[in-house]
Amino acid sequence: MTSTTPTRDGWRLKQPSVIPGFGLTLGFTLAYFSLIVFIPMVALGIRSAGLGFDGFWKAATDPRVLGALRVSFVTALIAAGVNVIFGTLIAWVLVRYRFPGRRIFDAVVDLPFALPTAVAGIALTAIYAPNGIVGQWFPFRIAYTPIGIVIAMIFIGLPFVVRTIQPILEEVSREVEEASATLGATRFQTITRVILPSLTPAILTGFALAFARGVGEYGSVIFIAGNIPFVSEIAPLLIYIRLQEFNYVGATVIAAVMLIISFAMLFFINLIQAWSRKRFGYGN
């Protein structure tokens, strides 16, 4: 890419950009995006639209489909909310404190990234089952209920929140906190008026990432969910069931509904994130 600068004789071209090949890289980016994201999404829409509006609406509003969608999105929202609270606290501890085993603890946060989701699901089921190490001490069931689904989604979504907030928190100067204390602010005022505004865009980003991962999670959830229709059956599992029944159109309808709802919610979260950046002046 080149640009122009004024000279005595008129305008002349600058030297090319340090990073060459803008046309080539842009073309590769668009081609890659089309093959991996755009074309599959279009194919999904075309396949689901083959039923017509009435057929699509009937398949999308099937009671079992609505129950699976409700379980997936509600549990993902709850898990993402929990991860925002505890993920922020974990990021704070990792950034602001030095203690023995800190590096090990920091590495363990990334464990859900490396651990196969099926292994995580089996481990969580063994721990929280009615006769498990932890589950046996609770008066109510954790595994094979929506509570177990939330726990599995918290496990796989926590690293997204921690790793999103941690680098932003490292940039927050302690001098700002000391200045607020010097001006008479309480600890609560320092947290709510100084620290949290600077972390708001990162918190929203972490929430969106954890929510998106939870909605589409399959491997770590099916073992601990119990997979009971209308109770603990998630939408990705119902898509798999429809495919096993050779009901490909029904599967694409569920996937299309999940895509529409997820896109709408993530778009809304991004709007809030953009507003927070403009309102508080961070992240620009």
Side-chain angles (χ1 to χ4, degrees):
M1 176 183 291
T2 58
S3 59
T4 58
T5 54
T7 63
R8 290 183 179 179
D9 300 328
W11 295 83
R12 65 179 177 83
L13 291 177
K14 269 187 176 182
Q15 294 296 324
S17 174
V18 176
I19 303 177
F22 173 75
L24 179 62
T25 54
L26 178 61
F28 176 80
T29 301
L30 293 177
Y32 186 83
F33 177 81
S34 299
L35 290 173
I36 302 300
V37 179
F38 183 70
I39 294 178
M41 290 175 60
V42 171
L44 178 66
I46 293 174
R47 186 64 183 267
S48 59
L51 287 175
F53 180 79
D54 292 338
F56 181 90
W57 182 257
K58 182 178 180 180
T61 55
D62 180 78
R64 186 174 179 182
V65 173
L66 293 177
L69 291 172
R70 182 183 66 252
V71 171
S72 290
F73 282 95
V74 171
T75 53
L77 280 172
I78 295 174
V82 173
N83 277 330
V84 162
I85 297 173
F86 291 98
T88 304
L89 292 176
I90 292 173
W92 178 271
V93 171
L94 292 175
V95 171
R96 293 302 177 90
Y97 298 100
R98 297 294 181 268
F99 52 90
R102 175 181 170 276
R103 292 184 181 276
I104 297 176
F105 185 72
D106 192 24
V108 170
V109 172
D110 292 329
L111 185 62
F113 285 146
L115 192 67
T117 55
V119 175
I122 294 173
L124 292 173
T125 304
I127 293 173
Y128 292 102
N131 59 344
I133 300 174
V134 177
Q136 63 179 332
W137 301 105
F138 283 83
F140 54 87
R141 279 197 172 195
I142 296 179
Y144 317 125
T145 67
I147 300 176
I149 299 176
V150 172
I151 291 176
M153 291 182 177
I154 290 174
F155 176 80
I156 55 97
L158 181 63
F160 290 95
V161 178
V162 176
R163 294 311 184 208
T164 303
I165 297 175
Q166 189 174 356
I168 306 301
L169 191 57
E170 291 174 348
E171 297 179 0
V172 178
S173 175
R174 295 191 179 187
E175 296 177 357
V176 178
E177 302 171 32
E178 295 172 358
S180 65
T182 303
L183 294 174
T186 63
R187 290 185 177 181
F188 180 77
Q189 290 174 329
T190 300
I191 292 174
T192 56
R193 298 185 181 182
V194 177
I195 299 175
L196 283 183
S198 64
L199 296 179
T200 299
I203 290 175
L204 291 173
T205 301
F207 177 87
L209 292 174
F211 168 75
R213 174 67 191 272
V215 168
E217 181 58 23
Y218 179 81
S220 63
V221 173
I222 57 172
F223 294 100
I224 197 172
N227 308 320
I228 303 173
F230 305 102
V231 178
S232 60
E233 184 179 56
I234 58 175
L237 175 63
L238 186 56
I239 293 175
Y240 178 77
I241 293 174
R242 292 288 185 262
L243 292 175
Q244 291 293 100
E245 296 171 348
F246 300 101
N247 186 0
Y248 301 117
V249 177
T252 55
V253 167
I254 301 172
V257 173
M258 290 188 66
L259 178 63
I260 294 171
I261 298 176
S262 298
F263 180 81
M265 297 189 70
L266 292 176
F267 181 74
F268 179 70
I269 293 172
N270 286 333
L271 288 179
I272 298 176
Q273 184 183 35
W275 172 84
S276 67
R277 287 179 175 177
K278 182 178 180 180
R279 170 67 175 80
F280 299 110
Y282 294 96
N284 296 326

